[in-house]
Amino acid sequence: MSSSRGASAAARALLSRASAPALRPLEEVSSAARLGTVAAGAEWAAVSPWRRAWFPWTRSYRPGGAPASAMRRVGVPRILPEGEKSESRGHRAERLRRARIRHEVKMAKEKAREEVESEAWVKERARLENLANSSRLTHRAVALDPDATVPERDQRCVRVGVVGVPNAGKSQLVNTLVGSQICAVSAKTNTTRVETLGALTRGDAQAVLLDLPGVVGPEHYRNPTHATKVSSAWAAAAGCDLLLFIVDANRQARRPDPRVVDLLASARANLERLKYTEVTGLSMPPAVLALNKVDLFRGTEDREALKRVARELAAVHPFEDMFPISAAKGKGTDALLSHLLLRAPRRPWDLPPSAVTDKSMIDQAIEVVRESVYRRLHQELPYSIVPVHDSWTNFDDGSYRIEQTLMVDSVPMKQIVVGTRGSVIGQIGIRARTVLEKMFSRRVHLVLNVKVRKKNNSLRGKARTTEYELY
């Protein structure tokens, strides 16, 4: 029985082979399939899978014809549109990479330009320039009028010490009042390392603003270097004619900072100790309170909270006057500035009327780069980076070429600062160059290098200074 079944199956197989058409070689079938005809596609589909798998390019087989990859590998040229040039995969990948980099640079420039244009000091400078150029201006600022002069016997000058806890907005306020970027500003604490002097002249009066590092109590000192900075800040404030205490009113209303109350409570004792009141009889300078960031208050409840904060702080320390301001938006700063200028005693000016700071242009450029580093990098990394000036070149077209080096402590830190394909250092340079061009009103070519500090804590003989030690 089994033998008869086997014989019948063999007979049927023999008959089917005899009736089926002879299969052409696989090379002929694949060549015909590349022509794109329907018959060739059907014949190619009839080829058994194990025979199609013999060719590597048949793994991505498409019904109705050979795959496009097969045409490329075999050598059949692709028909290109008119005007289009053929390119390899590597060339296309490189073209896309360069296009992506150009797009990222363009977006970074636009973002930096928008951030700089929204700064309060930029708006204040534009407003003063419009006033100086207006024919309706009756009371011109001497700093904006080169032809105006004030005799030395009629000059008045007031030295104002800007005091406050870290992140209160001291540097932002100084930049807004003087109309230039002379202090580094960032959301990180202890951005101000050393005392920075800013000045502005209006009429016969000049206000010299001394931006001091954040002042805290001894229990908040991080190391001896931090303690030295706080002591130097109090010493500088003791030699001023007027003290301007800056308080973050928004933070104080929602989550009170105990350092603010401690600062105001200990201010008199610290200043009288430094001025040797018991021996010389000199009393501490008068104080003015500025409640900053009032633009964050909304509604009646917030206004009541602001009044409550003002009453609480007035009970801790006697103030001549209080001013609600917004240093970032430039609101309320005109009234504060008018009060400071009215308090100016009869004394020759400390700086020329056109000067906004005693820093050189090189120091201002270093401060701008340091601010960009603080804004781009995070955690403890920016505190250990020190910008070092390398060269300054003036071109015939009026532009500047500034080259600086960012000194880091280790190779991994250098890799973070440089970033992937130089993306991080590129963003730092783009923002710094935008600010410098706005400050100097001319084109700036900024070149930034990143180098690792040597074991002897120096780079080309330039050691890390004490004011840039870690907090």
Side-chain angles (χ1 to χ4, degrees):
M1 189 69 169
S2 61
S3 61
S4 61
R5 290 180 179 178
S8 61
R12 287 195 300 270
L14 183 61
L15 291 175
S16 62
R17 290 179 182 178
S19 59
L23 295 177
R24 291 188 296 173
L26 187 60
E27 292 79 359
E28 297 180 6
V29 176
S30 62
S31 300
R34 286 195 297 272
L35 298 178
T37 60
V38 177
E43 188 174 2
W44 176 261
V47 177
S48 58
W50 66 269
R51 294 187 67 194
R52 292 199 303 265
W54 184 76
F55 288 91
W57 48 265
T58 59
R59 296 176 184 176
S60 58
Y61 166 75
R62 296 182 303 174
S69 60
M71 298 175 61
R72 290 195 299 268
R73 295 196 180 188
V74 173
V76 178
R78 183 172 66 93
I79 300 176
L80 300 176
E82 184 178 358
E84 181 180 349
K85 298 181 179 180
S86 61
E87 60 180 357
S88 62
R89 292 184 179 179
H91 185 273
R92 181 175 181 273
E94 180 66 18
R95 178 173 56 82
L96 295 178
R97 185 184 70 84
R98 293 182 179 182
R100 183 175 62 254
I101 292 176
R102 288 194 299 268
H103 176 71
E104 293 176 355
V105 171
K106 179 181 178 181
M107 297 302 295
K109 289 182 178 180
E110 292 180 357
K111 181 181 178 181
R113 194 178 299 110
E114 292 176 358
E115 290 180 354
V116 174
E117 291 296 336
S118 63
E119 292 287 342
W121 66 268
V122 176
K123 298 179 181 179
E124 179 67 15
R125 170 181 285 189
R127 184 181 69 87
L128 294 178
E129 289 178 354
N130 293 334
L131 289 176
N133 298 329
S134 176
S135 60
R136 297 186 301 271
L137 183 64
T138 58
H139 181 68
R140 283 194 168 185
V142 179
L144 302 177
D145 190 356
D147 299 329
T149 57
V150 176
E152 185 174 347
R153 63 178 182 275
D154 298 333
Q155 296 177 1
R156 297 184 299 120
C157 181
V158 58
R159 301 185 182 97
V160 183
V162 184
V163 186
V165 298
N167 279 97
K170 302 180 295 297
S171 301
Q172 182 79 61
L173 178 60
V174 173
N175 292 340
T176 302
L177 292 178
V178 304
S180 182
Q181 183 79 24
I182 63 173
C183 306
V185 179
S186 72
K188 297 177 178 59
T189 182
N190 292 319
T191 304
T192 303
R193 301 290 187 88
V194 295
E195 296 86 358
T196 304
L197 190 145
L200 69 157
T201 306
R202 299 291 182 268
D204 62 343
Q206 183 180 84
V208 178
L209 306 175
L210 191 60
D211 182 25
L212 304 174
V215 178
V216 293
E219 64 275 7
H220 300 288
Y221 294 163
R222 300 188 179 184
N223 48 41
T225 304
H226 192 190
T228 303
K229 289 180 175 62
V230 175
S231 301
S232 63
W234 279 122
C240 296
D241 303 321
L242 184 67
L243 294 182
L244 178 59
F245 286 92
I246 308 295
V247 176
D248 186 348
N250 180 61
R251 180 175 58 187
Q252 198 67 19
R254 288 167 171 76
R255 190 174 55 186
D257 189 354
R259 300 178 300 176
V260 175
V261 179
D262 297 340
L263 168 66
L264 298 178
S266 61
R268 178 178 293 274
N270 290 328
L271 293 172
E272 289 182 351
R273 175 176 52 84
L274 292 170
K275 294 178 76 71
Y276 302 99
T277 302
E278 297 179 356
V279 179
T280 61
L282 298 175
S283 60
M284 66 168 292
V288 176
L289 178 62
L291 299 174
N292 194 18
K293 304 182 183 180
V294 296
D295 58 302
L296 301 178
F297 286 94
R298 299 283 189 271
T300 307
E301 296 182 358
D302 290 346
R303 287 195 292 269
E304 293 298 329
L306 178 62
K307 295 179 182 179
R308 175 178 52 83
V309 170
R311 289 192 298 267
E312 292 176 355
L313 298 180
V316 178
H317 187 87
F319 295 104
E320 283 189 346
D321 205 345
M322 297 184 183
F323 296 91
I325 64 170
S326 174
K329 303 296 183 180
K331 298 180 179 180
T333 56
D334 292 339
L336 175 61
L337 179 58
S338 300
H339 180 80
L340 298 179
L341 295 176
L342 288 175
R343 291 301 309 271
R346 191 74 61 183
R347 185 174 57 218
W349 293 336
D350 293 341
L351 295 177
S354 59
V356 296
T357 182
D358 61 342
K359 288 184 176 181
S360 63
M361 298 178 67
I362 294 177
D363 295 334
Q364 295 182 45
I366 291 177
E367 194 73 6
V368 170
V369 172
R370 192 169 70 86
E371 176 188 316
S372 300
V373 170
Y374 272 71
R375 287 175 177 264
R376 181 58 182 84
L377 302 177
H378 308 289
Q379 297 183 0
E380 297 295 330
L381 185 60
Y383 294 98
S384 59
I385 299 176
V386 181
V388 177
H389 174 73
D390 289 335
S391 63
W392 184 297
T393 306
N394 298 331
F395 292 130
D396 295 338
D397 58 353
S399 62
Y400 299 146
R401 183 186 185 275
I402 306 173
E403 185 173 358
Q404 296 182 10
T405 299
L406 302 182
M407 299 169 57
V408 298
D409 292 333
S410 61
V411 175
M413 186 181 298
K414 176 182 178 181
Q415 295 174 351
I416 296 175
V417 175
V418 174
T420 305
R421 297 190 302 271
S423 58
V424 177
I425 191 65
Q427 295 175 10
I428 294 174
I430 288 174
R431 191 187 188 282
R433 183 171 60 253
T434 305
V435 176
L436 290 173
E437 289 180 349
K438 182 64 66 173
M439 288 176 54
F440 301 144
S441 300
R442 60 187 63 198
R443 189 177 182 183
V444 176
H445 310 275
L446 181 62
V447 180
L448 296 179
N449 305 311
V450 183
K451 294 187 178 181
V452 181
R453 187 178 294 104
K454 297 181 179 180
K455 292 184 178 180
N456 59 353
N457 198 29
S458 65
L459 179 64
R460 299 188 307 277
K462 301 177 182 178
R464 185 213 290 262
T465 55
T466 56
E467 60 266 18
Y468 286 101
E469 289 293 336
L470 289 173
Y471 281 91

